[in-house]
């Protein structure tokens, strides 16, 4: 037989009502599914690396840029030169001082390294020591600067005789800028045995004389050929005199 439950004790007066039976304990909490991630701010777009800017081409020095234009665009450059208002100082400082140094510097280095110097008079080489190479280089540089002015004087006189204008500055422009191939060809002197080849490159100066005399000296086209011939002869004489002086110094 089942034993009857014990009687419920009487509630004290004014007390709380009796509680019911204690509920059975809860079972294990069922596992929850995967928690969805909280919505956050949208991801930032990945910034693309900035494309590298192309390097700006290095500008040539003014004197070298002019030499390039004279060789590649001679007619256009002569029109620009003829209209420039200038005097002898800027022509020397901005163009002749660096250009006339190419040959002497190359010849000096070649003389020190190889112990000889090329000669246009003999179409060969002349032996020399380092001291003589430096002396010849300095003298050649000075004679180049003087020779350009002598040539300008000749161009001025010839221009007046063939009906052109007499203008010493314009004549100096022709003498300085038309001699550009001769100045650049001076780099051959770095190797004395091929220095006589510079004469072949320097012959391009004749074409620059022909293109520059008319706009600068205001000579008629019918007399340009004669003017060019006389100017080329004068330039050749100046070069021969300079070469003879240098050769005499080296041989002495």
């Amino acid at each position: 037989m089942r034993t009857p439950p014990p009687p419920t004790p009487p509630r004290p007066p004014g007390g709380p009502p009796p509680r019911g039976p204690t509920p059975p304990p809860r079972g294990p909490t069922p596992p929850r599914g995967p928690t969805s991630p909280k919505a956050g701010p949208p991801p930032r777009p990945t910034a693309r690396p900035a494309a590298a800017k192309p390097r700006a081409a290095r500008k040539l020095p003014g004197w070298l840029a002019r030499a390039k234009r004279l060789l590649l665009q001679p007619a256009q450059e002569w029109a620009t030169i003829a209209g420039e208002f200038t005097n002898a100082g800027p022509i020397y400082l901005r163009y002749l001082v660096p250009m006339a140094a190419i040959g002497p510097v190359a010849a000096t280095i070649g003389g020190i390294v190889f112990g000889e110097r090329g000669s246009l008079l003999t179409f060969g080489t002349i032996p020399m020591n380092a001291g003589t190479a430096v002396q010849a280089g300095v003298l050649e540089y000075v004679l180049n600067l003087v020779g350009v002015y002598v040539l300008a004087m000749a161009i001025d006189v010839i221009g007046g005789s063939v009906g052109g204008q007499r203008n010493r500055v314009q004549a100096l422009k022709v003498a300085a800028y038309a001699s550009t191939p001769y100045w650049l060809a001076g780099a051959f002197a770095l190797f004395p045995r091929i220095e006589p080849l510079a004469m072949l490159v320097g012959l391009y100066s004749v074409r620059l004389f022909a293109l520059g005399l008319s706009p600068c000296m205001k000579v008629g086209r019918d007399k340009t050929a004669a003017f060019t011939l006389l100017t080329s002869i004068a330039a050749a004489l100046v070069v021969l005199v300079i070469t003879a002086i240098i050769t005499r110094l080296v041989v002495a």
Side-chain angles (χ1 to χ4, degrees), residues 2 9 16 34-36 53-54 57 59 79 100 106 144 182 200 202 207 211 239:
R2 253 195 286 177
T35 305
S36 60
K53 294 182 179 180
K59 293 184 178 180
N144 281 346
Y182 171 75
L200 299 178
R207 172 171 168 76
L211 294 174
V239 171

Side-chain angles (χ1 to χ4, degrees), residues 41-136:
R44 296 181 179 180
T46 305
R48 295 182 180 181
K53 294 182 179 180
R55 293 184 178 180
R58 293 183 178 180
K59 293 184 178 180
L60 294 175
W63 57 275
L64 199 54
R66 166 147 286 182
K68 179 181 177 181
R69 293 192 299 268
L70 279 168
L71 296 179
L72 302 180
Q73 301 171 337
Q76 296 89 326
E77 191 63 19
W78 274 120
T80 302
I81 292 171
E84 289 178 349
F85 182 77
T86 184
N87 53 49
I91 296 175
Y92 266 88
L93 293 177
R94 298 175 185 175
Y95 195 78
L96 285 174
V97 167
M99 288 294 285
I102 294 176
V105 171
T108 300
I109 295 175
I112 294 174
V113 174
F114 298 101
E116 57 186 6
R117 180 188 177 99
S119 174
L120 296 177
L121 293 179
T122 62
F123 287 93
T125 59
I126 303 173
M128 64 170 57
N129 54 43
T132 304
V134 174
Q135 293 177 8

Side-chain angles (χ1 to χ4, degrees), residues 137-235:
V138 173
L139 180 59
E140 181 183 4
Y141 182 54
V142 173
L143 291 177
N144 281 346
L145 297 178
V146 174
V148 174
Y149 198 80
V150 172
L151 179 59
M153 294 173 61
I155 293 173
D156 190 26
V157 173
I158 297 171
S161 64
V162 297
Q165 68 172 343
R166 293 290 302 269
N167 189 315
R168 188 67 55 83
V169 174
Q170 293 294 92
L172 181 60
K173 289 180 181 180
V174 176
Y177 298 129
S179 301
T180 296
Y182 171 75
W183 302 131
L184 295 177
F188 281 89
L190 188 63
F191 304 98
R193 295 194 177 271
I194 64 172
E195 184 177 356
L197 294 177
M199 184 179 64
L200 299 178
V201 179
L203 288 177
Y204 188 70
S205 292
V206 177
R207 172 171 168 76
L208 293 187
F209 281 131
L211 294 174
L213 286 170
S214 179
C216 290
M217 302 305 296
K218 308 300 181 185
V219 67
R221 292 185 179 273
D222 57 329
K223 297 182 178 179
T224 300
F227 199 177
T228 301
L229 177 60
L230 294 174
T231 301
S232 300
I233 293 174

